[in-house]
Amino acid sequence: MNPSPEGHGQEPSRRDFIYIAAGGAAAIGGAFLLWPFIDQMNPAADTLAVSTTEVNLADVAEGEQLTVMYQGKPTFVRHRTAEEVAAARETGPNQIPDGDSRNLNLVEGSDATDQHRSAMAAGVRDGVEVDATLRERFIIMLANCTHLGCVPVGQSGDYHGWYCPCHGSHYDTAGRIRRGPAPENLHIPPYTFLSGTTIRIG
């Protein structure tokens, strides 16, 4: 009976074991080498520290705007005038380029009425008693143009809301895109009322 060719049907040799062990060590070493690069993509400690932001709405006078930081992003807290609210309510969601509220406090796909964009959307849901006039007057939005992320200028533009001078996007007093290259309304972050005048964003 002839012996089988060398290497066939035999247990792994010492050389095979060395190859396997070396490959495993190289894989583990590669993972250790890559970990610092992967880990640096996690949010910075200072960003995590501001994952929520509290704002006292009583500090924002009618007709004024406060810019606060939320998760490292500028966020507008605007106390609109009665005229600004009325102007926003004259325009329905079917008259604007983006009919979506872009409001994380509502179910996805809610239409972009002024009521769905203002603090009316959060005030009822929280179970906190909030003055109805205050809820309709305030609007809280991420302060980044939805075109390329620039920060629009308040109380300006063709619709007296926000205007992005970088590329000419015009937003109305409800933060809805009306003209220009921006594809979406200014986004509204999640927030809740902690009291009749204090909100927590995030």
Side-chain angles (χ1 to χ4, degrees):
M1 184 172 180
N2 294 329
S4 62
E6 186 179 347
H8 289 280
Q10 296 180 354
E11 293 295 322
S13 68
R14 185 173 176 196
R15 181 179 296 169
D16 294 331
F17 174 77
I18 292 172
Y19 285 150
I20 293 169
I28 293 170
F32 276 111
L33 183 67
L34 288 174
W35 177 248
F37 298 104
I38 296 169
D39 188 52
Q40 61 92 24
M41 289 187 263
N42 286 323
D46 57 346
T47 300
L48 291 173
V50 291
S51 60
T52 61
T53 302
E54 290 187 13
V55 181
N56 185 353
L57 302 181
D59 293 338
V60 188
E62 181 179 334
E64 292 187 359
Q65 175 177 291
L66 179 67
T67 302
V68 299
M69 296 303 288
Y70 161 63
Q71 292 187 344
K73 303 171 188 171
T75 303
F76 293 144
V77 178
R78 170 86 179 148
H79 187 167
R80 303 180 297 172
T81 64
E83 292 74 23
E84 289 172 333
V85 172
R89 290 192 174 181
E90 287 176 2
T91 305
N94 59 335
Q95 299 171 279
I96 56 178
D98 182 16
D100 192 306
S101 69
R102 305 293 171 191
N103 189 342
L104 291 180
N105 300 288
L106 299 174
V107 296
E108 188 176 349
S110 298
D111 57 18
T113 62
D114 182 66
Q115 290 90 335
H116 285 172
R117 300 273 304 159
S118 71
M120 295 286 287
V124 176
R125 176 175 55 85
D126 300 329
V128 175
E129 188 173 337
V130 181
D131 180 72
T133 301
L134 182 143
R135 287 193 281 113
E136 74 178 8
R137 293 277 183 93
F138 272 91
I139 189 164
I140 294 90
M141 306 176 297
L142 296 182
N144 295 107
C145 177
T146 57
H147 178 226
L148 291 176
C150 308
V151 177
V153 179
Q155 292 177 274
S156 59
D158 291 349
Y159 301 91
H160 309 291
W162 289 265
Y163 171 66
C164 184
C166 301
H167 301 96
S169 293
H170 297 257
Y171 298 89
D172 66 13
T173 55
R176 300 173 296 192
I177 184 62
R178 299 294 296 276
R179 190 162 68 80
E184 298 177 354
N185 303 322
L186 294 175
H187 290 202
I188 296 177
Y191 63 92
T192 55
F193 276 87
L194 301 179
S195 71
T197 56
T198 303
I199 62 168
R200 180 175 59 215
I201 304 173

